[in-house]
Amino acid sequence: MPTFTPVPGFDTVQRLVVSVAVLASFVTFLDGTVVTVALPAISRELGGGIATQQWVVDAYLITLSALILLAGSLSDAYGRVRVMRTGLIAFGVASIAVAAAPDPLVLIIARAAQGAAGALLVPSSLALITATMRGELQSRAIGVWTAFTTAAQLVGPLMGGLFVDLLSWRFVFLINVLPIAVTLVLLGRLDLPEHERDVRVDWVSGILCALGLGAVVFALIEQERLGWSDPGIWMPGAAGLVLLAVFLWRQARSAHPLLPLSMFTVRNFGWGNVSTLFVYAALSLNGFVIGVYLQQGPGLSATAAGLASLPVTVLMILLSSRAGAVAGRLGPRLFMTVGPLLMAVGALLLLTVGRDFDYWWQVLPAMIVLGLGLALTVAPLTSAILGAIDERRSGIASAVNNAVSRVAGLLVVALLSTIVGGSLDLGGFHSAAIVTAALFAAGGVVSWIGIRRNPAEPAVPPGDPAPADPAPADPAPADPAR
């Protein structure tokens, strides 16, 4: 469970908001990666082979990605605190169901339920921050949030390895219960009255998006096993693309869209999400390949493979909030350019990995450079995107950005076999490092071209309906940065 020193400048309510936001999102991000090293143990106990392993991961990611837009709209419509409380309870129940699963089917269904509950947590947690803070203070808060949520993804394999080696794979999922309980207690102390909002939830669009994205991802994942010529692959893939096209058509014509396409006309929001697509695709590819290859190639244990990325986690925790604070004063463009380019250098350093493996000289330098680049990138990226949009749309803005990052990870992992040339041997590892570097570099170039300093007052996207109540959704102390 994460702890941190409060950032100077936060008052008591804002510190509580940041604590709740960090804890609520931490369990969601952690569960996306902690399971990876537990997959062999799950397969040995419950059976099902590689198919079970694939779907234990994919069921969670598909529902999380497909429902996060709908969850962002729910956050804006029904209130951040209410949606977060519902998501926390559902996530805790689903985690217990996963840990108690007697067979693969129950396990996979419970993992899908976890993903659906997790979709409720991330947009509402970031919306709490953007609703109560603006300017430099918001950037510093988002820096704390990104440090610990990104660290959750990075430290997940290490925690999973320790629990598998010392206890049981089932405890990998029960670790969620304690932080969820603490978050619910803190949430009860957070007195932020929810105001009525003129936001309608487009349930039809939510269903179209969920089914469309789910079908496309299913086709991308399973095509490696069955091939594109199989009707069980190309038909769901084609149907998914049609559903997504109908979804976008509906968004362009709806008076109350689930995904307001006008938000992408706001410069930093549109360009920032393109950068997110490249950067998070690279992060997902790098994390997957490092964790798997270090076990299959040099033959490290699950715990040792998890420890390999620990320097990245430490640097994120130490530097991310500071980078967010400085970016709040200087603007995000430089950080969002230099950070990904630095990570591209770190990825290329992995080309030094050879058959005579030496972690200290072949992997550690790359992890340090990657950690420095990541600490420079994530908080300014998140702040640039969310700070560009009016507070009324902070929930859906957060949801869109998180959906982009999840879809980026899904797509690049689904294409893993093509990237590594069919086998994750040393040659495949080097191919993945080159592709990772190219994706990072693309994210940096896009940021330099498109990102500018956010105005003092965030943009209201063209055509956005005016709020019924002009007062802010949640009371916040005056921010001298505004």
Side-chain angles (χ1 to χ4, degrees), residues 183-272:
T183 310
L184 286 171
V185 172
L186 294 178
L187 200 59
R189 295 170 52 192
L190 192 60
D191 186 18
L192 294 176
E194 300 283 2
H195 296 265
E196 292 296 323
R197 295 173 172 84
D198 184 24
V199 179
R200 298 180 184 177
V201 179
D202 187 351
W203 294 98
V204 174
S205 292
I207 294 171
L208 286 171
C209 180
L211 293 179
L213 183 58
V216 169
V217 170
F218 169 85
L220 288 174
I221 292 169
E222 293 294 326
Q223 62 84 20
E224 182 181 349
R225 185 167 59 91
L226 300 176
W228 284 111
S229 61
D230 192 300
I233 296 299
W234 67 261
M235 289 180 66
L241 291 175
V242 170
L243 289 172
L244 289 175
V246 174
F247 166 75
L248 293 175
W249 175 84
R250 183 180 175 87
Q251 301 316 290
R253 288 158 178 77
S254 173
H256 299 277
L258 181 65
L259 172 60
L261 298 179
S262 59
M263 288 197 306
F264 290 93
T265 64
V266 179
R267 185 180 187 112
N268 277 6
F269 186 85
W271 284 95

Side-chain angles (χ1 to χ4, degrees), residues 382-468:
T382 307
S383 184
I385 292 170
L386 299 187
I389 299 296
D390 180 67
E391 180 274 329
R392 291 182 297 112
R393 287 300 191 189
S394 59
I396 191 62
S398 169
V400 170
N401 185 235
N402 277 279
V404 169
S405 65
R406 297 297 173 275
V407 170
L410 278 171
L411 294 178
V412 77
V413 172
L415 295 171
L416 181 66
S417 181
T418 301
I419 292 171
V420 302
S423 175
L424 192 49
D425 53 14
L426 183 59
F429 180 79
H430 287 166
S431 297
I434 293 171
V435 173
T436 299
L439 290 169
F440 278 135
V445 171
V446 165
S447 296
W448 180 257
I449 293 171
I451 297 298
R452 299 293 182 269
R453 180 188 289 271
N454 278 323
E457 293 295 333
V460 178
D464 236 16

Side-chain angles (χ1 to χ4, degrees), residues 124-207:
S124 56
S125 65
L126 265 177
L128 280 177
I129 292 176
T130 56
T132 53
M133 290 166 255
R134 281 292 177 189
E136 183 183 342
L137 199 63
Q138 182 193 93
S139 296
R140 294 158 79 184
I142 291 177
V144 175
W145 184 89
T146 52
F148 284 95
T149 53
T150 305
Q153 299 177 78
L154 299 173
V155 79
L158 171 59
M159 293 183 66
L162 289 171
F163 276 96
V164 169
D165 290 342
L166 300 178
L167 295 169
S168 165
W169 67 265
R170 298 182 184 274
F171 284 90
V172 169
F173 303 99
L174 291 178
I175 60 176
N176 296 322
V177 175
L178 180 58
I180 287 173
V182 172
T183 310
L184 286 171
V185 172
L186 294 178
L187 200 59
R189 295 170 52 192
L190 192 60
D191 186 18
L192 294 176
E194 300 283 2
H195 296 265
E196 292 296 323
R197 295 173 172 84
D198 184 24
V199 179
R200 298 180 184 177
V201 179
D202 187 351
W203 294 98
V204 174
S205 292
I207 294 171

Side-chain angles (χ1 to χ4, degrees), residues 49-184:
I50 188 64
T52 295
Q53 295 180 5
Q54 286 180 298
W55 281 109
V56 167
V57 175
D58 296 338
Y60 181 84
L61 292 178
I62 287 175
T63 52
L64 180 65
S65 303
L67 298 177
I68 204 165
L69 280 179
L70 181 62
S73 186
L74 290 171
S75 174
D76 284 334
Y78 297 112
R80 289 87 162 128
V81 173
R82 183 181 303 168
V83 170
M84 182 179 290
R85 183 178 289 112
T86 301
L88 285 167
I89 294 171
F91 200 93
V93 172
S95 297
I96 295 172
V98 171
D103 56 56
L105 179 60
V106 173
L107 177 64
I108 291 166
I109 293 172
R111 283 286 287 171
Q114 267 192 319
L120 297 176
L121 296 179
V122 177
S124 56
S125 65
L126 265 177
L128 280 177
I129 292 176
T130 56
T132 53
M133 290 166 255
R134 281 292 177 189
E136 183 183 342
L137 199 63
Q138 182 193 93
S139 296
R140 294 158 79 184
I142 291 177
V144 175
W145 184 89
T146 52
F148 284 95
T149 53
T150 305
Q153 299 177 78
L154 299 173
V155 79
L158 171 59
M159 293 183 66
L162 289 171
F163 276 96
V164 169
D165 290 342
L166 300 178
L167 295 169
S168 165
W169 67 265
R170 298 182 184 274
F171 284 90
V172 169
F173 303 99
L174 291 178
I175 60 176
N176 296 322
V177 175
L178 180 58
I180 287 173
V182 172
T183 310
L184 286 171

